[in-house]
Structures are given as structure tokens and as C-alpha cells.
């Protein structure tokens, strides 16, 4: 009569195979966490850039249409120089053409805390859109560069109405 022994435990091959499978799974999970962690700051920078661009686009859009002919001090207009120190005196949309900031500042030229590493450049050009001819419309482009060097561009249109 043959007596069979019951096996208990696992073989060396099974242990090695288990370690390999768990190691591969762990590497995949850690890589996913690493990718998620690398991109976690990007939404904050992007949202801040969008808020800056929207704020400046609103500021510019609410100014009168104006044109270079009305930038005459004798006529009550502001004729420059167009710097951050006198931004509060910009009296029409085209005054912002070519304007730029290194570090975000409020309208009264006060530095905004936490935004010193952002840069902004603005372009205002005559543009036709819809039924508005180029002589009566502006395309306003606000480009914000965040501290990581990524740019966000926001554009709007302003008609002479």
C-alpha cells in the first residue's frame, strides 16, 4: 500500500514568479503616481494664467474704442509713455498695444503677491470680424507666461460701438 504525502507550502519557482509579478505591478502603479504628481502643479499655474489674462482682457475691453488720433494731450487723451507706472491713465483700447509686464501689477502699479514670476504681453491690432470692418474693430491678444515657461493666449474682439 502506497501512502501519499500531502504537500504543504509553495515551491521555490512559485515564490520567484510571485515576486516578479508583484514587482512589475508595483512599478506600474508607482509610475502612474509619478506621472500624476508631475502634472499636479500644472492646473494651478494654468488657472492662474487664465485669471490674469481674463482680468487684463476685461480691463482693456471696458476702455473706449479710441484710435491713435485721439491720443493727443490737447484733446484730453493720454499720449504715453505706455508703462506700468502710468497704466491707470490708459484711456482707450489701442493704448495697450505692445504693453508688457514682468511680474503682475495692479492698475495702481502695486505688485500682486505671489505673481512676480508671471509675464504678460498684449497686442491690439485692427481686425474685421462678422459684419464689423477692420476700421471699426480690434483683436486683443493677451499672452501670459507662467513660471514654468508655458504660455497661455487669450483673445477677444472689441468693436467701435
Amino acid at each position: 500500500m502506497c501512502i501519499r504525502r500531502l504537500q504543504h507550502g509553495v515551491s521555490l519557482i512559485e515564490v520567484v514568479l510571485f515576486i516578479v509579478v508583484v514587482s512589475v505591478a508595483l512599478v506600474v502603479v508607482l509610475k502612474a503616481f509619478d506621472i500624476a504628481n508631475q502634472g499636479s502643479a500644472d492646473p494651478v499655474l494654468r488657472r492662474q494664467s487664465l485669471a490674469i489674462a481674463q482680468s487684463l482682457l476685461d480691463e482693456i475691453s471696458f476702455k473706449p474704442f479710441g484710435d491713435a488720433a485721439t491720443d493727443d494731450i490737447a484733446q484730453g487723451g493720454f499720449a504715453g509713455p505706455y508703462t506700468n507706472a502710468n497704466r491707470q491713465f490708459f484711456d482707450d483700447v489701442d493704448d495697450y498695444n505692445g504693453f508688457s509686464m514682468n511680474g503682475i501689477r495692479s492698475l495702481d502699479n502695486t505688485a500682486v503677491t505671489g505673481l512676480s514670476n508671471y509675464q504678460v504681453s498684449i497686442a491690439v491690432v485692427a481686425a474685421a470680424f462678422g459684419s464689423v470692418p477692420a476700421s471699426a474693430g480690434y483683436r486683443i491678444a493677451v499672452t501670459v507666461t507662467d513660471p514654468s515657461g508655458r504660455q497661455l493666449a487669450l483673445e477677444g474682439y472689441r468693436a467701435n460701438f
Side-chain angles (χ1 to χ4, degrees):
M1 180 160 172
C2 183
I3 299 177
R4 290 184 149 189
R5 288 187 175 193
L6 297 176
Q7 280 188 329
H8 294 279
V10 292
S11 71
L12 181 60
I13 294 173
E14 291 171 330
V15 170
V16 170
L17 188 60
F18 174 77
I19 291 172
V20 169
V21 170
V22 169
S23 298
V24 169
L26 189 60
V27 166
V28 169
V29 169
L30 290 177
K31 187 67 177 172
F33 278 127
D34 184 46
I35 290 171
N37 192 27
Q38 286 175 353
S40 66
D42 293 346
V44 174
L45 296 177
R46 187 158 177 82
R47 278 182 166 229
Q48 189 61 58
S49 294
L50 184 59
I52 292 167
Q54 184 64 54
S55 173
L56 285 167
L57 188 60
D58 288 346
E59 175 186 327
I60 298 165
S61 296
F62 289 127
K63 297 287 183 179
F65 185 79
D67 58 36
T70 62
D71 287 341
D72 184 6
I73 295 173
Q75 297 177 7
F78 179 71
Y82 300 104
T83 65
N84 213 22
N86 56 23
R87 184 172 118 212
Q88 60 188 327
F89 302 115
F90 291 11
D91 60 347
D92 52 41
V93 174
D94 71 331
D95 289 350
Y96 288 87
N97 188 32
F99 181 71
S100 64
M101 277 191 280
N102 288 322
I104 305 306
R105 303 182 85 68
S106 66
L107 195 55
D108 65 356
N109 200 28
T110 303
V112 179
T113 306
L115 301 181
S116 61
N117 293 325
Y118 286 82
Q119 299 173 352
V120 174
S121 63
I122 299 170
V124 178
V125 295
F129 54 96
S131 61
V132 177
S135 62
Y138 284 130
R139 180 178 56 85
I140 306 163
V142 179
T143 304
V144 179
T145 305
D146 68 25
S148 70
R150 291 194 178 110
Q151 290 188 334
L152 178 131
L154 191 60
E155 293 184 355
Y157 289 86
R158 175 74 161 80
N160 188 9
F161 57 88

